[in-house]
Amino acid sequence: MTPDTDGLTLKVTGDPKQGYSVDLLFNGQPFSQHNRGGEFSAFFQNEDRSVEDRVNDWKATSWAGNSTHVVLDGECRLKNLNTTVFAHVDYELVTPHVVRKKIRLHQADMFMLFYQLSNRLEPGESPAKFWSFDQLDWKGGALREYFPAAGFRTKNGLCVGLLTDSGYRNQWTRIIRRDGRPVKPAPRRIPDANLYSGSRAEQHSKGDFFVQQTFGEVMEQVAGEQNAQTIVLPDISSWKKQGEVTLDERDGVATLSTQSSEDGVMIPFAAGGAEVYSLRLEYRSALPVAIKIWNVDERLRKVGDVTLYDDGAPESPGAWSDFRTTVFVPGLQGHGCAVFISVAESEQANKVKAAGGFAKVEVRGLQIRRITTRSEPYHRLEMGHPAEKTVFVFADEKVPDTVRDHRLASQLYLADGLGFQGGETEKVVYADLMMLCWITSPESFRPICAPSIWYSAAGEMYLRDSFFALNGIHNRELNENVFNVWAENQGTDGAINTLVEPNLANVERKSNDSTPLWLMWAFLNRRRFGTTLPIEKVRKAAEYCLRTYDPRREGLCMAQFVMGQLDVINYPEGTSTICENQGMLAVTSRVIKELQIPGVSEMISEEYLNKAEELYRGYYDSARKFMRPARDIADAIGFAEIFPEYLSLWLFNRKILTDEMVVNHLDRIPAMMSRRDCPHPEAGGVVRPIFIGLPEGGKGWSYFNENWHPMVSDSFAASYANRSMDGIYYNGGSWMRIEVCGYVTGKLHGWGNATKAIANRLWAELNIASDFPTSQEYLATDAAHPFFGYHRVFAWNSFILQALEQAGLRRPEMDPDYFTK
């Protein structure tokens, strides 16, 4: 087989005696091989896990193909299990820079085998360096990063990356916690801790260099005090102070006084990657306390936050409170770990200053133990049912050696490998979504859609996020299966829960937008895929909406929560003043009518629908020329007010608002963050805020503060003090999904700035936070406060793909699943 010399090509090596495998070439030069000439390694166990076999560096006994497509076949003879597993490996060149590899296993001898499979990518010679998605100079070990990707760079500058297909197809997940109070401990069984791992320095010294994927491995904690090793900690007098903090010790009690959440004490301890630790202490404090575990370098500088969003303990001003948890530590970026103790941060992980000067925190009895673990396979190879894993390798000599460019290349080339077409931002949001579609747990292979690896560290799935993420693409399997998960999660009153997770129930069925969105999903699945709906569940959901949101049947929405992403704000007595809620009632009522539910849909008249729509239009302030967020709020503007209009256009091609209302509203939302290098600098800015102040009588806009914060509770707005949250999150942050939907709404209503605004916003997603060219939860809009949060690979922005189709800026057939519906 003579390879071509342009870009990636394949070359079969070996002979009938030694077996066959494939080398990868770039421009005719070999750069990588798999498993020292083999294609995979695997570990098999029988159903009661009493008998096992291992296969190392498997090679084929036959092959067929050419320089762009190779098929390898052979057997795995499992002596102990008295079983033969047939292996089929398929390499195919997808683009000149991407190769797809499929490994298919099949057995016909036993009811079921547990198995795990490792796919290793090895450089042909010592590489110049290794990299991962979050590390420019990766030192090896296990990885749990925003996006599963890692690779190496050759000495002649070739960038090589190893990628995986989506977790729901390759059967992996990113769960490292289970729900709990006050923090979420590590679960007893942690799946896929070594989904990505790499060779370390000690292996490099022996000439062993690799990046490895392991599918189907679960790590289990071994119970019993005898299986925990106590970690020696420094004396209190040796704890390291960080920032403006005092530390005193008396009778074994450490007392620290600090002015802010950034100042505290650090207690270093020896730790290894992919291990589980228990932590216990007692504390007293008048303020909530943060008890964190950081990954630190040799100078105890923070390089990673192991317990991100999982480190807060409630105030305990009088009695001593017992705090205990278990923590999974992924691969270490630095030298080791340290416990950091201070007052807790804000809800958005932002700095908090202690009221009245210094806050005192008392701590005693700190203990850390390393918990013994063991690993076993959890994937199932059923008799007569093949199992397949799909991976991708990319190679490109033009990828600069930066964190940004490794991240961008990983996402773009994964989208290419999956057959997705579109611009850079479209490819990125699609790739990020695919890396957030996992299986539920090691015990359940049902698909879920995670908002981000941190929102879903305990396996949480949210209705709102999964609705928008999956309805942005044409994948029937995901849309139907995840829709059905929510159907099964329906309460006895017909309400759909806000979230669901695997290891502990989190019941939050309330009058937000979860049930209306689920009904829209039912309508869409039937229209798009011809799905047969669970009609009795649909009936219960519809009846819940009708009696909950408009009990008097007047067309006026009444709810205890915002029917949108700001549903954390609670109105216990109910409110009928919110614009978004009124629009959602109008759209949801038409959805119920169109679903043609016997005995329900015919109760909704056109007169009723017209009344609900008229009340929605009534939020337009003709003097200020925008839709008020609430009847009593005339000094703030946002995208949520016109989002129901987007839904009506999408679902029914129906305008509720007038062109004048929509155009004027969009003209009043300020363009922000002017950039000369964006597609349309003449537009005045690349983003617009999700919600911003428009003070009456003033000429400009304003961020909110702790005293003026419409639509946000006092407790939430406390973090707005001292302008510390300007431009962050809901205080003027830019959220791409709802923003692009607003621009598409404008385009369909004749807003002349729509196309330029869309192009600028797509560009901004990858370029405002230059090191993170990923799908973001939000973009910070104030240069003085460039805090973008920690949800940097985010699922629901894939909904813009549907919005772009609606605007005529994208074709459905650019989605690889469009033709398989």
Side-chain angles (χ1 to χ4, degrees), residues 258-259 287 353-359:
T258 177
Q259 285 187 307
L287 293 176
K353 287 191 175 181
F358 281 86

Side-chain angles (χ1 to χ4, degrees), residues 519 535 538-539 542 592-602:
L519 286 170
I535 195 62
V538 171
R539 177 193 303 276
I592 293 171
K593 184 174 182 64
E594 293 296 324
L595 279 168
Q596 299 177 346
I597 309 163
V600 177
S601 298
E602 59 265 31

Side-chain angles (χ1 to χ4, degrees), residues 513-548:
D513 56 340
S514 291
T515 309
L517 290 178
W518 185 78
L519 286 170
M520 294 178 201
W521 207 341
F523 174 76
L524 288 161
N525 277 358
R526 190 176 68 183
R527 184 170 74 181
R528 292 208 289 170
F529 310 123
T531 304
T532 299
L533 301 177
I535 195 62
E536 287 307 311
K537 289 183 175 291
V538 171
R539 177 193 303 276
K540 287 180 66 176
E543 291 172 342
Y544 168 84
C545 289
L546 294 176
R547 69 172 180 269
T548 299

Side-chain angles (χ1 to χ4, degrees), residues 1 11-23 33 36-39 59-63 72:
M1 185 174 70
K11 180 182 178 181
V12 176
T13 61
D15 55 49
K17 183 177 181 181
Q18 299 295 325
Y20 300 101
S21 61
V22 170
D23 285 350
Q33 59 187 11
R36 300 174 185 170
E39 291 298 333
K59 291 186 178 183
T61 54
S62 66
W63 70 273
L72 304 168

